[in-house]
Amino acid sequence: MKSLIPVVMSGIIAVYALVVAVLIAGDMRPPPGTHYSLFTGFMHLACGLSVGLTGLAAGYAIGIVGDMGVRSYMQQSRIFVGMVLILIFGEVLGLYGYRPVFSNSNLHC
């Protein structure tokens, strides 16, 4: 059961991307209601790329740590706490993608 922790943590990164996709889709309105400017389009592109690339880095880190951590856990059970701590540090990489999204309150993404 403890071997499933890296799988669950990698699924959390997908939720980050889903939240940003919902925020971007909620900001898009039909053309008669509002004008979708070029600036807004590039801002949404930057938000998506920011969350996507940091999610890719976090997923890669969690994959490497999870693979070696689970293999090491089968040989030595004391490694579990260290593995979880390093997985949390890898998960934080995905949160750094949210910083540009919510850094300026008047730019809604």
Side-chain angles (χ1 to χ4, degrees), residues 24-104:
I24 290 173
D27 198 26
M28 294 180 175
R29 293 180 189 88
T34 184
H35 179 67
Y36 191 72
S37 67
L38 186 65
F39 173 75
T40 306
F42 277 115
M43 184 184 66
H44 289 159
L45 175 68
C47 290
L49 284 175
S50 171
V51 172
L53 291 175
T54 56
L56 180 70
Y60 187 74
I62 288 174
I64 296 294
V65 172
D67 178 42
M68 293 308 296
V70 168
R71 290 175 193 234
S72 299
Y73 175 71
M74 292 301 139
Q75 296 175 359
Q76 180 76 262
S77 63
R78 293 184 315 180
I79 200 79
F80 180 73
V81 175
M83 178 186 74
V84 170
L85 286 175
I86 296 173
L87 284 171
I88 290 170
F89 293 145
E91 183 85 23
V92 170
L93 290 174
L95 287 175
Y96 286 140
Y98 276 141
R99 180 74 177 127
V101 175
F102 298 114
S103 64
N104 196 349

